[in-house]
Amino acid sequence: MSVLTLVPTRRGLHLPRLGLWLDARDPVDPTELVVVSHAHTDHLGARGRLLASRPTAVFLQARLREAGPVEVLPWGERRSLTAPDGTPFHLTLRPAGHILGSAMAHLEAGGQSLLSTGDFKLRPNRAAEPCTPHPADLLVMETTFGRPEYRFPPTEEVMAGVIRFCRETLGEGQTALLLGYALGKCQEILAWLADAGLPVALHPEVYRLTRLYEQLGWQFPPYARLEGDAGRGCVVLCPPGVARAPLLRQLGPVRTAVLTGWALNPHCRFQYGADAAFPVSDHADFPELLELVERVAPRQVLTVHGFAADFAACLRERGWEARALSGAEQLTLPLALPRPTPPAPGRRPPPPAPAVPEPEPSTVTAFAAFARTCAAVAACTSRRDKVTRLAAYLRSLPPDLLSRVAVWLGGPPFAPIESRPLQVGGALRRRALCAVTGVDEATFRQVYLRHSDTGETAAELRQGQTPDAPPLECGEVAHTLERIAAARGPAARCALLEPLLARCHAGELKYLIKILTGDLRIGLKGGLVEEALAEAFGVEPEAIRRAHLLRGHPGEVAVLAQRGELAGVDLEPLRPVLCMLASPEPNAAAVWARARAEFAAGPEAPAWVEDKDDGLRCQLHRVGARVALFSRDLKDLTAAFPEVVEAARRLPADVILDGELLALDGDRPLPSATLQRRLGRRETDLLLGAEVPVGLVVFDLLWCAGESLLDRPLRERRGRLETLAPLPAPLRLARHTPATSPEDIEAAFGAARARDNEGLIIKNPASPYTPGRRGLAWLKLKKACATLDCVVVGAEYGHGKRRAVLSDYTFAVREGPHGRLLTIGKAYSGLSDEEIARLTPHFLSRVIRQRGRYHEVEPDVVIEVAFDHIQPSARHASGLALRFPRIARLRPDKTVADIDTLATARRLAGLEAPVPAAASLTPAP
C-alpha cells in the first residue's frame, strides 16, 4: 500500500499509512491526527488530536464545547510529522477562501504529493483569506457546483441587487431579512454592507460568531444584536434554519431574501419560502473548478460532494484523469504512479491510463449499491445533499431498474396504482429473519425493542454474518418480490423470501426489510424523489410532479423523464389520479378572509359552497362498457359497488368523475363506518347491497368524451357536468350554492350539519383541478365535535425519531362515576417532543405489566382528546372508538376522578341502546 493511499469512508477521508484523517465527521482512533479544513458543522464531529488553522481552532472551541485542544498550524508552515510505521511526511495548510480559516491540506510523502481542497472559492472573499492552491500529484477537490450551468455573476453585481432589495424593503416600512450561513456567509454580506449605510441587526448566533471574527482582527460596519423588536426596520442577517423562529416574529412586516449559490435554480426562492434569491456562494462555481485543476496541474483528480460524477466526466473529456470519489463505495485509491513529464504551462496533460478503473456496470445494478445510496441519503442532513446524492444514483440506472428503484425509494415494493399487495406481514418477516440469522423469536423481540424498526433489527442480527452466495442484483430482488406477491399462502411466500434474505449482507438486509414494510425512513418525504429525478435527467421538477400525479406510478415517470418523454403525459381513462384536496379553516370568518385573498375574481359569486359528506372519496372512470371505481389512495373499489358500476354504464358519455360514496338510509347519509362493511370482500354480497345501500354524490368532471378538463376552470367543468344530468341513480349531482359573505357560509354550514353532513367545502369557481394538491383553491370547514377527558392506561414506544420514547398512548373513559376504566382509543399525535420526553420516564416508573412494546401503566395522566366522531367498535373495552383521535392537551389540573364517562361518549356518538363492552381493559399490543 502506497504511503499516500487514500481510503474514503463514511467518516471522512482516511490515509491509514499516515495515521491521518481529513475532515472526519465521527470519532476516530484517538492516536490518529484529524485535519479539520474549516468550522462548518458538516465538517465537524471528530474528537482527539485535531489540527487546524488558527481561526478554525477558535471557531471549533466556540462551537463545540467538547472539542478540547486544537493544534494550530500557521499558514504556509511545512510541518514534519512521522507516520505510525515511522515513515516521515510533511503537512502544509494553505487558505482555501471558503470562509475565514478554511484550509487546503498539502501532503508530501514518499516522493508524492496530495492536495485536498476542502470547500474552497477562488473569487475574492471580503471575510476570508484569499485562496492559494499549490501544485500536487493528486488533487482531491470538492465539486458542489460541478455542472456548466453553475456560473455565478460578478459578486459586485449580485451584492448591488441585494442592497437595492434592502433599501426598497426598508423604504416601504418593512424589515429586510437576509438568510445565509451564520459562519462565513453572513460575515461576507455584512462586509459588503459597509458602504450602504443601512441599519443592520444580527441574529444572536451570527452576532456571536461575528464577535469572534473581530477578535481575530477583522472589521465590519456598525451592527446591533437582534433582541426583542430591536431589529424592526433594519437589515437582519439570520441563518436559514431559524427564519420562522419566535425571535423574528417581533420584526413586523418582513421581506425575505435567501443568499445561496442554488439561487441559479429557477425555483430556489420558493423552496426557501423567500421573496427573493441571490446567487451569493462561498463555494467555487464551474469555471473556478476548472481553473483550480489548471493551477494545480495534478496527474489524477478525485472529485467529492455535489456534482462529483458530472465534473469528473467533464475533466476526462478535457484530457485529465479524473473520477468521482464515493464514500459509500469504500474504494481504496493508491497514489503510486510513475511521474510523467510535466505539461507546458497552461496546457492540459495528455490522458494517461486510468489508475482506478470505472466501476463495472454490475456494480450499479447491485442491490448493495441501492442500500449504500439509502444509507448515504439517510446520513445527509441537508435537503440539497439528499437530492444531489440520489440524483447521481438514479442517473446511473438502466430503464428497467430505474422503474423499480424509483418505486422502492417511496417505500413500498409496488406502486399503489398497481394494487398488488405483497402480503408479507410482521409474523412472516420475523419468521424468515429468525431462520436466516439463526436466532430465536425471544432474541428477535429483545433486539426489536431497542429499535422499534424491523430493518434496524435485521441489520443488527445480521451483523458479522457473511452470505455464502453471489452478490444480489436489484433485478433479482424485483423479480422475487413479484413472485412473492403472486404466491398463495404464507408458507409459499416464506419459501421465496428466506433465500432472498439469506443472500443479503447486514446493510442490504436492512433496506430490503424496509421495502417489505413499506417505509425506508431515510428522509425522502416532501417530494425529494421527484426533485432528484428532475435533477438527474435535467427536467423541471414541476414536470415530474405533474406526470406523477397523472400517472400515479413513480417508476413509469422516472423512465419517461430519462427518455425525455414527459411532455406527452396526460390524463388517461381507467387509470386513477390523485384527488384534489382542500385546506382546513377553523370558522366561517377565516374561510371568507382566505377566499377574498386567494380566489380569483369572476362574473359569479366569489365562492361556491358544497356539503362535505362523511363518506369515501371515489373516482369513477367509464369508457364504453368498462367502468372502474378508485379510492382516494388509488385502490380499485369496482367489485364492492356493482350498483354504481351498472348506473355508470347508463351515462350519456365516457367520463372520469370525482365524487363521494355514501352509505344511505333513504336520503339520510349514514356514518362512514357503515360504508366500510362494503369493502374488502372478495366476492360481491348481493344481500349486503340491500342492507347498506349507497349513492355516489358527483361534484367534478375531469375528463369527458376523450378530452381532459383538468386545466379548465371549475365553473366550466361544472357546466359540462350538468349537461350529463339527470344522472342515473344511485348517482346524483352535488348541490352547490354561491357565497358572497361570511354570513352566507355560516348559514350553509348550519344547513349542511342539519343534513347530517360533516361541514362544507368552499371552492374557487375559477380554479383548475390540481391532482394530489392541498392548495387554497378548495377550503374545508368541518363540523366541530366535543372533546373527551380521558386517562392514559397504556403507552408504547414510537417509531422513527420517537423510537426511544413512549409516544403512543392508549386511553380510557370511566364506565360510570365510580366504575371501571374502559379503553376507547389510541393516539400518537398532538403532544410536543418535549412533552413526550417528559412523560416517558413518568410512565416507565409506573408500569403495571409489560407485553412486548406495550406498557400498561398506572392511570394518573389525564389528556383532553379531540376527534372527528365516535362510532361503535368491538376493538375497545368501551364498545366505542374515536375516529381520528388526537391529543388536544395535557390536563394536569384533573385527576382520574374527573375524566368523562362512557355515558358522555355514547351521548356524543348519538347511540341510544347500550353497546356490550368487551372484557379486557387494554388492547392486545
Side-chain angles (χ1 to χ4, degrees):
M1 184 167 60
S2 168
V3 177
L4 287 181
T5 293
L6 184 69
V7 180
T9 75
R10 292 179 62 181
R11 288 184 290 176
L13 300 178
H14 188 206
L15 288 93
R17 284 285 304 275
L18 301 184
L20 183 141
W21 289 83
L22 302 173
D23 279 338
R25 291 180 290 277
D26 292 306
V28 300
D29 187 332
T31 65
E32 295 190 305
L33 183 65
V34 178
V35 178
V36 183
S37 69
H38 65 284
H40 277 158
T41 53
D42 58 338
H43 289 256
L44 308 181
R47 303 292 183 269
R49 295 182 60 206
L50 305 183
L51 182 145
S53 68
R54 179 170 175 264
T56 297
V58 171
F59 294 136
L60 275 174
Q61 292 173 330
R63 305 194 87 182
L64 296 177
R65 295 177 182 175
E66 67 276 24
V70 181
E71 183 179 352
V72 172
L73 182 58
W75 295 125
E77 179 180 308
R78 188 169 181 261
R79 179 72 55 86
S80 296
L81 302 166
T82 304
D85 63 0
T87 302
F89 68 98
H90 306 282
L91 170 64
T92 307
L93 296 185
R94 301 182 180 279
H98 175 60
I99 64 171
L100 182 60
S102 60
M104 294 180 169
H106 188 263
L107 291 163
E108 302 167 273
Q112 307 285 336
S113 60
L114 177 152
L115 180 69
S116 176
T117 66
D119 293 342
F120 75 96
K121 179 172 74 171
L122 296 180
R123 304 184 310 283
N125 188 330
R126 290 194 176 187
E129 307 91 342
C131 182
T132 58
H134 193 276
D137 299 309
L138 175 65
L139 172 63
V140 183
M141 62 183 298
E142 69 100 354
T143 52
T144 300
F145 295 104
R147 280 186 174 177
E149 59 264 33
Y150 291 106
R151 300 170 183 266
F152 300 136
T155 307
E156 294 80 1
E157 296 179 8
V158 177
M159 289 309 303
V162 173
I163 293 171
R164 186 164 53 251
F165 170 88
C166 295
R167 284 176 172 159
E168 291 174 355
T169 301
L170 269 56
E172 295 172 2
Q174 298 177 306
T175 298
L177 189 63
L178 302 184
L179 305 181
Y181 290 130
L183 177 60
K185 182 74 65 68
C186 280
Q187 287 74 32
E188 183 175 13
I189 298 168
L190 181 60
W192 275 97
L193 294 175
D195 301 327
L198 298 171
V200 178
L202 306 183
H203 181 275
E205 178 64 9
V206 179
Y207 179 90
R208 183 173 73 96
L209 294 172
T210 304
R211 295 301 298 270
L212 292 178
Y213 267 73
E214 292 174 332
Q215 293 174 21
L216 291 166
W218 292 77
Q219 295 182 349
F220 298 98
Y223 57 85
R225 188 177 190 271
L226 181 62
E227 293 178 315
D229 61 354
R232 187 186 289 262
C234 294
V235 177
V236 177
L237 303 186
C238 170
V242 297
R244 291 178 174 82
L247 178 66
L248 304 179
R249 295 175 186 165
Q250 305 176 58
L251 297 178
V254 169
R255 289 187 69 208
T256 304
V258 60
L259 282 71
T260 171
W262 303 113
L264 294 177
N265 294 337
H267 301 290
C268 175
R269 74 180 182 91
F270 301 107
Q271 293 171 346
Y272 283 88
D275 299 294
F278 295 95
V280 178
S281 178
D282 44 24
H283 291 267
D285 66 358
F286 183 79
E288 288 177 278
L289 297 176
L290 293 176
E291 180 183 346
L292 179 84
V293 177
E294 295 282 357
R295 291 172 64 174
V296 175
R299 289 185 289 128
Q300 187 181 43
V301 181
L302 302 177
T303 59
V304 295
H305 307 311
F307 297 107
D310 298 68
F311 190 70
C314 175
L315 289 180
R316 289 194 295 273
E317 292 174 359
R318 293 168 177 257
W320 297 97
E321 180 191 336
R323 63 155 295 142
L325 189 62
S326 171
E329 291 175 351
Q330 299 292 301
L331 299 175
T332 298
L333 299 165
L335 178 62
L337 303 173
R339 183 179 299 277
T341 303
R347 299 288 301 277
R348 292 189 297 273
V356 183
E358 290 293 325
E360 295 294 326
S362 61
T363 63
V364 173
T365 62
F367 190 71
F370 172 81
R372 287 196 299 265
T373 300
C374 290
V377 170
C380 292
T381 58
S382 159
R383 178 188 181 98
R384 180 67 248 167
D385 290 346
K386 286 180 184 289
V387 170
T388 301
R389 181 74 65 120
L390 188 56
Y393 173 63
L394 293 171
R395 194 181 302 116
S396 69
L397 295 174
D400 58 333
L401 291 185
L402 177 63
S403 177
R404 275 297 164 209
V405 166
V407 173
W408 296 344
L409 289 169
F414 305 109
I417 197 173
E418 294 181 86
S419 297
R420 193 174 357 172
L422 195 62
Q423 301 184 81
V424 176
L428 198 155
R429 292 194 300 269
R430 182 173 64 249
R431 171 183 163 187
L433 282 170
C434 288
V436 167
T437 58
V439 302
D440 55 26
E441 290 202 5
T443 302
F444 178 93
R445 292 180 184 278
Q446 184 178 9
V447 175
Y448 181 80
L449 286 174
R450 286 202 295 271
H451 298 288
S452 294
D453 183 292
T454 312
E456 301 285 352
T457 301
E460 180 175 331
L461 293 174
R462 189 62 163 167
Q463 201 67 43
Q465 300 177 352
T466 303
D468 185 17
L472 191 60
E473 294 284 318
C474 286
E476 294 176 274
V477 174
H479 177 65
T480 305
L481 292 179
E482 290 171 356
R483 292 179 63 199
I484 291 173
R488 290 183 173 273
R493 290 192 287 273
C494 196
L496 292 167
L497 181 61
E498 283 187 17
L500 185 67
L501 302 185
R503 293 181 59 186
C504 294
H505 290 272
E508 298 168 297
L509 189 60
K510 172 180 175 178
Y511 288 103
L512 179 53
I513 291 295
K514 286 177 177 286
I515 291 173
L516 300 182
T517 61
D519 190 354
L520 292 181
R521 294 183 181 175
I522 57 175
L524 284 182
K525 304 299 183 184
L528 290 187
V529 177
E530 294 173 348
E531 290 183 31
L533 286 168
E535 183 170 305
F537 303 115
V539 298
E540 287 295 322
E542 185 58 35
I544 295 283
R545 293 189 187 100
R546 178 177 172 82
H548 188 195
L549 294 171
L550 293 174
R551 284 278 179 155
H553 194 301
E556 293 182 11
V557 173
V559 173
L560 289 171
Q562 189 182 51
R563 295 173 178 169
E565 298 175 0
L566 289 176
V569 176
D570 205 346
L571 191 63
E572 296 180 17
L574 304 176
R575 186 185 189 100
V577 297
L578 294 172
C579 298
M580 184 171 177
L581 305 175
S583 297
E585 291 293 342
N587 52 53
V591 167
W592 183 248
R594 180 69 72 183
R596 289 288 300 273
E598 302 292 342
F599 289 8
E604 63 286 286
W608 288 359
V609 295
E610 299 173 1
D611 283 14
K612 186 183 187 309
D613 303 301
D614 181 20
L616 182 69
R617 189 76 175 268
C618 181
Q619 202 172 105
L620 185 153
H621 293 234
R622 173 264 170 93
V623 180
R626 298 179 64 190
V627 177
L629 305 178
F630 299 100
S631 67
R632 174 173 169 168
D633 56 357
L634 310 183
K635 289 186 172 64
D636 193 328
L637 307 176
T638 310
F641 302 101
E643 66 270 56
V644 176
V645 172
E646 185 57 36
R649 293 193 176 106
R650 300 197 301 272
L651 287 167
D654 292 339
V655 293
I656 298 178
L657 305 176
D658 190 6
E660 190 93 0
L661 275 168
L662 298 177
L664 298 171
D665 180 8
D667 287 335
R668 177 174 167 264
L670 298 175
S672 61
T674 309
L675 193 64
Q676 300 297 318
R677 298 167 57 190
R678 295 286 299 267
L679 302 177
R681 294 176 178 263
R682 294 183 180 274
E683 297 179 359
T684 302
D685 187 336
L686 298 178
L687 296 179
L688 194 58
E691 182 182 338
V692 186
V694 300
L696 178 64
V697 179
V698 179
F699 48 72
D700 218 325
L701 177 65
L702 313 186
W703 181 90
C704 185
E707 180 186 4
S708 172
L709 305 178
L710 293 180
D711 295 327
R712 304 293 181 85
L714 174 61
R715 69 173 74 89
E716 183 175 336
R717 300 198 306 274
R718 177 73 190 204
R720 292 281 294 272
L721 179 59
E722 290 174 353
T723 64
L724 304 177
L727 301 181
L731 278 61
R732 64 186 185 190
L733 281 177
R735 72 178 78 198
H736 79 281
T737 56
T740 58
S741 68
E743 291 74 22
D744 287 350
I745 294 173
E746 190 64 53
F749 181 62
R753 291 182 61 174
R755 290 189 287 268
D756 291 328
N757 289 320
E758 283 190 316
L760 293 180
I761 297 291
I762 301 90
K763 299 182 178 180
N764 180 356
S767 60
Y769 191 98
T770 52
R773 298 290 178 84
R774 191 184 297 279
L776 297 175
W778 290 9
L779 307 173
K780 63 182 176 182
L781 180 60
K782 294 180 65 174
K783 179 170 59 179
C785 191
T787 60
L788 285 174
D789 288 332
C790 305
V791 67
V792 178
V793 295
E796 298 177 44
Y797 284 102
H799 296 83
K801 71 175 185 177
R802 289 185 170 178
R803 63 180 179 271
V805 292
L806 296 172
S807 62
D808 300 5
Y809 305 138
T810 299
F811 46 85
V813 293
R814 189 175 289 287
E815 188 174 28
H818 306 288
R820 58 181 177 151
L821 298 177
L822 303 173
T823 57
I824 194 171
K826 178 179 177 181
Y828 48 84
S829 63
L831 296 183
S832 67
D833 290 342
E834 291 75 15
E835 289 171 320
I836 292 171
R838 189 171 68 247
L839 285 173
T840 294
H842 174 88
F843 287 135
L844 289 174
S845 67
R846 288 163 173 77
V847 175
I848 299 173
R849 65 178 61 88
Q850 180 179 353
R851 285 180 286 168
R853 299 172 62 246
Y854 182 84
H855 299 69
E856 185 180 341
V857 298
E858 295 177 14
D860 62 355
V861 173
V862 177
I863 56 176
E864 183 179 346
V865 183
F867 49 90
D868 281 10
H869 62 254
I870 307 176
Q871 59 196 29
S873 172
R875 178 177 178 83
H876 297 293
S878 63
L880 302 174
L882 307 184
R883 190 180 186 210
F884 302 130
R886 56 268 185 199
I887 301 171
R889 56 175 171 156
L890 296 172
R891 295 302 305 265
D893 56 319
K894 293 191 175 186
T895 69
V896 68
D898 302 317
I899 66 173
D900 283 311
T901 64
L902 178 61
T904 300
R906 291 177 53 74
R907 187 174 66 252
L908 291 174
L911 297 173
E912 298 177 0
V915 178
S920 63
L921 171 68
T922 56

